Amino acid sequence: MIKLEEKQNGYNVLSDLVKVGVIEYKDFWDGMPYISLIKIDDGYRRKGIGAKAMQLFEEEMRGKGEKAILVSTQVDEQAQNFYRKIGYTECGCLILENTPFKQPMEMFFIKTL
């Protein structure tokens, strides 16, 4: 059974009462939740735990009156496939290649609650 346990700036992800990951978020534009970190421990990946944790997180945010959730990932990471699979859609990007922060493009996703 997957549950969320509230902590400062997010939630611990529990599987049968064992902490197996975290979801952390910040307020973007003074109100819209932006997921700054979702991490599921290696031994628990590809078992549906991340998707279930995100579903529970979305329910928590909906219960707090939020209308949408933002998340981002670099375009060279596999996470973008996960976000699409659970219903998030692309909504913009951040390009830093010609700056001192050189990194792959950061792609933003949104899901309306």
Side-chain angles (χ1 to χ4, degrees), residues 28-99:
F28 189 76
W29 289 337
D30 294 327
M32 185 184 307
Y34 167 76
I35 297 173
S36 55
L37 174 68
I38 176 170
K39 177 157 180 22
I40 303 299
D41 295 342
D42 290 341
Y44 294 90
R45 292 184 184 174
R46 301 206 174 270
K47 297 180 180 185
I49 293 171
K52 180 63 178 174
M54 287 291 286
Q55 178 188 0
L56 293 171
F57 177 76
E58 292 162 7
E59 290 171 8
E60 287 284 327
M61 294 299 104
R62 190 177 296 112
K64 292 181 178 187
E66 302 293 351
K67 304 293 184 218
I69 297 173
L70 284 175
V71 67
S72 70
T73 186
Q74 291 180 349
V75 295
D76 63 344
E77 295 177 332
Q78 291 294 319
Q80 61 182 298
N81 299 321
F82 170 72
Y83 296 126
R84 286 186 187 103
K85 184 177 177 181
I86 62 172
Y88 286 73
T89 57
E90 298 169 17
C91 64
C93 67
L94 179 63
I95 301 172
L96 297 172
E97 63 188 29
N98 295 321
T99 74

